[in-house]
Amino acid sequence: MTDLADRRGIETDVYQPAEDSHLLATVAAEQVDEDNLVLEVGTGSGYVAERVAGETGARVVASDLNPHACRAARDRGVEVVRADLLDPIRTDTCDVVLFNPPYLPTEEGEEWDDWMEVALSGGETGRAVIDPFLGNVGRVLAPDGYVLLLVSSLTGVEAVVETAAESGFSAVALRDESYPFESLTVLKLHR
Ligand SMILES: C[S@@+](CC[C@H](N)C(=O)[O-])C[C@H]1O[C@@H](n2cnc3c(N)ncnc32)[C@H](O)[C@@H]1O
């Protein structure tokens, strides 16, 4: 496990809320309207989904690939489905999609093969999960829908913005926070 992963993982099968989770939840709670249908992809513990639902009154549904995460989120009262990214989500349905993705760049051979790797590793570029998400999220968005995506400087905000543009999205940075080992940005992506 890398140092960064060590700081984030802390010997659990489910990613526990950290700075990135708090930042995404705070910005989402400011943006989401009560009548929105919100999807949180990769909900982990369910912390972001629970906060956004509680603070806005919106209906928030969630997905995660990790069955332990699905159980943890369900135990918080989150409506959750076990799924790979957006696979089971119906076309043109979501007003807002939230995602705090796995984004740590991980060299080939440095993977550590457990649910924390699924939560943290973004492959060699840091964008191995972000890129297919950006390629598919347009399908599930309602006509005026938008995405709030948490991006780290470790992943490369410019590269994410360029990939989003290839899928027809404009990006606006809503909030930045700096930490000793990275800075975190919440991007709003809209068509
Ligand atoms: C950085 S954690 C964020 C967890 C939580 N949203 C938070 O902010 O605290 C990334 C989450 O995405 C999930 N994930 C990774 N790949 C996924 C995929 N292909 N489909 C759905 N969820 C995925 C992981 O299991 C993990 O729970």
Side-chain angles (χ1 to χ4, degrees):
M1 193 181 276
T2 66
D3 287 350
L4 277 171
D6 209 16
R7 281 203 283 273
R8 298 296 178 77
I10 323 171
E11 298 295 317
T12 168
D13 281 334
V14 179
Y15 186 89
Q16 296 303 303
E19 297 91 341
D20 47 3
S21 323
H22 296 292
L23 182 61
L24 180 61
T26 299
V27 173
E30 292 169 4
Q31 295 283 318
V32 164
D33 292 327
E34 188 178 6
D35 62 354
N36 287 162
L37 175 58
V38 181
L39 169 68
E40 190 200 1
V41 176
T43 194
S45 69
Y47 164 84
V48 174
E50 183 188 34
R51 256 195 72 188
V52 173
E55 293 181 26
T56 66
R59 180 178 174 201
V60 183
V61 297
S63 73
D64 205 292
L65 196 56
N66 174 355
H68 308 287
C70 293
R71 269 193 290 278
R74 189 191 58 200
D75 289 347
R76 279 185 191 263
V78 174
E79 281 183 79
V80 61
V81 60
R82 186 178 181 206
D84 188 358
L85 294 178
L86 304 146
D87 278 357
I89 309 301
R90 292 176 72 170
T91 299
D92 294 344
T93 49
C94 302
D95 298 304
V96 186
V97 177
L98 312 176
F99 195 20
N100 176 13
Y103 61 69
L104 295 183
T106 309
E107 295 293 327
E108 203 179 332
E110 283 191 6
E111 303 93 347
W112 58 98
D113 192 26
D114 62 15
W115 286 115
M116 271 305 109
E117 182 185 345
V118 173
L120 297 170
S121 173
E124 290 193 44
T125 62
R127 297 186 293 277
V129 180
I130 295 172
D131 287 351
F133 169 80
L134 290 173
N136 287 303
V137 69
R139 180 185 67 76
V140 306
L141 283 177
D144 292 325
Y146 63 88
V147 177
L148 296 179
L149 179 66
L150 191 293
V151 185
S152 166
S153 52
L154 300 171
T155 315
V157 179
E158 276 311 309
V160 172
V161 168
E162 280 170 26
T163 306
E166 286 164 15
S167 292
F169 289 102
S170 301
V172 180
L174 294 183
R175 195 76 46 86
D176 293 297
E177 280 186 1
S178 292
Y179 296 93
F181 54 97
E182 65 182 334
S183 61
L184 301 175
T185 299
V186 178
L187 290 180
K188 182 173 187 173
L189 307 177
H190 56 93
R191 291 177 290 199

